Amino acid sequence: MSEEWEIIYYQEVDGTKPVEEFFNDPSLTQGELKQFQLRLYYLKNKGLVLLVERSDILDKIKTENNLYELRLDNTPNNIRIFLCALTPKRLILLHAFKKKGRKTPPNQIKIAAQRRDLVVAKEDKTDEQ
């Protein structure tokens, strides 16, 4: 078996981790929390291969580079988690929200894309040193 992927929670400048805090929301059900843990297990073991093997769980945001949507379908809150990939084998959980309609709201994608850009810029700066 190949090496596991590392799952990292995006961290704001003030130290808060938005996705981690999202999952402390009391309106989330135990089933959703369990399903999230199972999705993390899949991500750790399969990484971006899930795009092919389980497109019902992980999909690419077609309008963005290096931005993916992890789905918790058929749950009361219809949770979505955006993430990006970094080398070597790291996935950054950027943003989570409760999807209300059929389409993913552009403002939710924008939040995730801005965070992705910050992470990638920081990564590039580290690589230069």
Side-chain angles (χ1 to χ4, degrees), residues 112-127:
Q114 288 171 337
R115 290 177 181 168
R116 177 214 49 217
D117 293 346
L118 289 170
V119 166
V120 169
K122 187 177 176 183
E123 187 81 0
D124 290 346
K125 193 182 285 186
T126 304
D127 288 346

Side-chain angles (χ1 to χ4, degrees), residues 58-90:
L58 185 67
D59 199 15
K60 168 132 182 23
I61 301 296
K62 290 170 184 32
T63 58
E64 295 287 335
N65 290 324
N66 192 18
L67 194 59
Y68 306 92
E69 181 181 49
L70 185 68
R71 299 187 191 116
L72 277 72
D73 281 332
N74 302 319
T75 63
N77 291 299
N78 203 13
I79 297 167
R80 298 292 190 264
I81 302 106
F82 290 119
L83 56 115
C84 68
L86 299 174
T87 55
K89 288 188 146 184
R90 291 176 293 155

Side-chain angles (χ1 to χ4, degrees), residues 11-35:
Q11 187 170 322
E12 296 281 4
V13 176
D14 66 3
T16 59
K17 296 180 178 179
V19 174
E20 206 171 63
E21 288 183 7
F22 175 85
F23 280 96
N24 290 327
D25 182 334
S27 72
L28 301 180
T29 67
Q30 285 301 315
E32 288 170 325
L33 297 174
K34 274 185 172 177
Q35 197 176 117

Side-chain angles (χ1 to χ4, degrees), residues 34-115:
K34 274 185 172 177
Q35 197 176 117
F36 175 62
Q37 291 303 318
L38 183 60
R39 299 289 194 261
L40 287 182
Y41 173 80
Y42 289 152
L43 277 175
K44 257 187 171 175
N45 289 290
K46 299 282 186 174
L48 296 180
V49 172
L50 280 179
L51 288 166
V52 176
E53 290 184 2
R54 294 292 308 268
S55 60
D56 60 316
I57 291 176
L58 185 67
D59 199 15
K60 168 132 182 23
I61 301 296
K62 290 170 184 32
T63 58
E64 295 287 335
N65 290 324
N66 192 18
L67 194 59
Y68 306 92
E69 181 181 49
L70 185 68
R71 299 187 191 116
L72 277 72
D73 281 332
N74 302 319
T75 63
N77 291 299
N78 203 13
I79 297 167
R80 298 292 190 264
I81 302 106
F82 290 119
L83 56 115
C84 68
L86 299 174
T87 55
K89 288 188 146 184
R90 291 176 293 155
L91 297 170
I92 314 297
L93 304 182
L94 300 165
H95 180 59
F97 70 101
K98 298 172 186 176
K99 187 174 172 188
K100 305 273 190 242
R102 290 186 52 79
K103 286 195 153 246
T104 300
N107 66 323
Q108 299 294 343
I109 295 172
K110 185 177 178 185
I111 292 167
Q114 288 171 337
R115 290 177 181 168

